[in-house]
Each structure stands twice: as C-alpha cells, then as structure tokens.
Amino acid sequence: MDVQDAEDRALIAQHRDEPTISHAGLKRILAGESPVTVWREEQGLTQRALAERAGVAPSMIHAVEKGTKSPSLETARRIAEALGIGLDDLFG
C-alpha cells in the first residue's frame, strides 16, 4: 500500500465512521512494523485486551505481532473485527 492509497482509504473511512490510523501509525506500518501492533496501540489496547476482544490467546496476539506465527483466516478475521477494521488493513 502506498501513502496516497492509505490517505484515500482514511478519508473514505472517516466518512463511514470507521477507525482510521494516524499518519505516524501509517509510517510505522510502511517501515515494516506489524499492522496489528500499530492498530492495537492506536486504539490504546494491550495485547491481553485485544486477545479478549478477539477470543484468542494473548500468546497468539504476541506471536502475530512478532511475526513468528501466521494466524488462521478465522483468527485473522477475529483480530480485525476486534479492532473494528477490515482484514486488508491488517494483512493486505
């Protein structure tokens, strides 16, 4: 995803009352940081709180954020839903 696409998506999301990510957050993702980490932190959630919302183990969130484990499609969907965003925002 390039910066222009991300900015366009953010504008569309604002009009739909969907969560958006800050410019600093976008830069973190583009620099290679885990989108799950960035979105979670932007929403002020701990790994444990996100895990509870998503109905997964905190160790799964930790592993996904560190890149040591890829979630199943169902787990990825749960994480995205818990953050109120689409799968493509996390794994696209």
Side-chain angles (χ1 to χ4, degrees):
M1 163 182 0
D2 68 11
V3 174
Q4 185 62 45
D5 288 342
E7 289 172 349
D8 291 345
R9 290 176 71 184
L11 286 172
I12 292 167
Q14 283 177 334
H15 290 288
R16 292 184 182 163
D17 290 329
E18 295 174 358
T20 58
I21 196 163
S22 69
H23 185 261
L26 176 60
K27 287 175 71 174
R28 289 170 60 193
I29 291 170
L30 292 174
E33 195 167 338
S34 165
V36 175
T37 302
V38 175
W39 278 99
R40 175 182 61 76
E41 290 177 353
E42 290 259 330
Q43 294 185 25
L45 297 171
T46 63
Q47 287 182 344
R48 182 171 300 282
L50 176 56
E52 288 174 7
R53 277 190 185 182
V56 301
S59 60
M60 172 57 79
I61 301 296
H62 178 78
V64 169
E65 289 186 358
K66 295 298 178 194
T68 59
K69 189 167 189 178
S70 294
S72 68
L73 181 57
E74 176 61 22
T75 298
R77 185 193 60 74
R78 287 176 168 200
I79 293 169
E81 190 173 278
L83 291 168
I85 59 178
L87 275 174
D88 57 332
D89 291 317
L90 290 184
F91 303 103

